[in-house]
Amino acid sequence: LSMPLGTRTTLLGGVFFTDEQSSKRQIINAVDPATPQQIRGPLGDAAYPTEYREYAAFGSVNVQLTDRLDVELGGRFSENEQSFTTIEPGTPGPKIETRENSFTYLATPRLRLSPDLMAYARLASGYRAGGPNQLRSYAELALVPSSYEPDETDNFEIGLKGNLWGGAVSYDFSVYYIDWQDIQLQAMLEDPDGEQHSVTLNGSEARSRGVELSVQTQPWEGLRTDAWVAYNDAKLTRNFPSESLVLGASGDG
């Protein structure tokens, strides 16, 4: 829902819902080594159903402070519920359930320096849901984490947008910085008996910074060209945990 509030303010609001289910069924058949194309009968029938359900509400307000300056402020609150269940013949496994919520924000001021030039800034946060680890036995549940946490980003950007030569050339130049926390990583954990278990863990931090430039030209009607160039410097700011399946040390890019 979008609606004006007076002559200088616009409100936007909405809700979101998703319910996603997967059976993840695995059927193993027995075959005769002499005739592997011929199935002799079922050897195993297991299922690992998962469910993801999310509710969210979001909104923003855009305020025209002056004829040249406006600001947009926004936010999104969400809650998700997830479950993973092991259904194997003779060896019922655990049902792991998680619930978490998040709030993400957005702030974008824009200043029109001239009819053909605008400066802007953007502060925003990003979020990726955590969830249950796919453990297949109660023994695993007692030895390794049953779930992992979300990872999040804080994003900062400033830039210029403008036109040249009566609109024949338009450009967008920006500088950005991204701070990434609690990165989700695949890892192998070893229990006291020496058996290894594949799980998702939170570990490490990283930052990314760079510049981007895009240019669009329309020298005459019917012809348009676009060009982009970007430079990015992305590095870890904390070592990956030793259990991670990918090696990474602080400073690695």
Side-chain angles (χ1 to χ4, degrees):
L1 175 67
S2 178
M3 61 178 290
L5 190 63
T7 59
R8 291 183 173 268
T9 303
T10 302
L11 298 179
L12 171 70
V15 294
F16 170 83
F17 171 75
T18 183
D19 188 356
E20 304 166 22
Q21 302 180 42
S22 173
S23 62
K24 289 191 175 181
R25 189 178 180 189
Q26 183 179 39
I27 299 175
I28 303 175
N29 293 312
V31 299
D32 187 334
T35 56
Q37 288 79 21
Q38 185 174 355
I39 297 174
R40 296 298 182 180
L43 190 61
D45 186 350
Y48 309 97
T50 64
E51 183 172 8
Y52 179 91
R53 182 181 292 116
E54 181 180 351
Y55 315 83
F58 58 89
S60 68
V61 55
N62 185 283
V63 181
Q64 190 79 37
L65 299 175
T66 71
D67 292 340
R68 297 169 56 190
L69 176 64
D70 70 89
V71 178
E72 181 181 10
L73 302 173
R76 182 180 189 270
F77 178 81
S78 67
E79 179 174 285
N80 71 73
E81 303 169 353
Q82 299 181 62
S83 68
F84 171 82
T85 308
T86 298
I87 305 173
E88 295 182 342
T91 56
K95 180 177 183 178
I96 305 172
E97 298 179 305
T98 63
R99 173 180 289 185
E100 63 188 31
N101 55 62
S102 71
F103 176 78
T104 52
Y105 65 87
L106 166 70
T108 306
R110 299 184 298 180
L111 176 63
R112 290 165 180 81
L113 302 172
S114 74
D116 295 317
L117 181 61
M118 180 182 72
Y120 68 91
R122 181 182 176 91
L123 290 79
S125 60
Y127 167 86
R128 178 169 57 170
N133 274 310
Q134 298 187 4
L135 307 182
R136 298 178 59 177
S137 68
Y138 286 98
E140 279 190 300
L141 187 60
L143 296 169
V144 299
S146 62
S147 63
Y148 54 95
E149 299 298 318
D151 53 358
E152 301 174 330
T153 63
D154 291 305
N155 314 287
F156 309 92
E157 179 181 353
I158 57 174
L160 292 171
K161 291 183 178 181
N163 298 313
L164 298 171
W165 301 301
V169 176
S170 60
Y171 60 89
D172 185 346
F173 174 77
S174 62
V175 179
Y176 64 88
Y177 181 91
I178 301 172
D179 184 22
W180 187 7
Q181 309 110 32
D182 298 323
I183 301 173
Q184 295 174 9
L185 299 167
Q186 289 298 117
M188 294 297 291
L189 296 183
E190 187 172 298
D191 63 29
D193 297 327
E195 185 177 354
Q196 292 190 327
H197 306 266
S198 176
V199 297
T200 300
L201 294 179
N202 295 94
S204 190
E205 298 175 353
R207 61 101 178 126
S208 177
R209 59 192 180 192
V211 296
E212 294 182 342
L213 173 65
S214 64
V215 178
Q216 183 183 95
T217 64
Q218 190 167 1
W220 55 77
E221 187 176 354
L223 174 65
R224 191 183 77 180
T225 62
D226 298 272
W228 295 265
V229 62
Y231 171 78
N232 176 263
D233 177 31
K235 293 185 183 297
L236 293 174
T237 55
R238 196 173 72 191
N239 296 346
F240 279 172
S242 58
E243 304 91 351
S244 171
L245 294 178
V246 179
L247 299 178
S250 179
D252 287 352

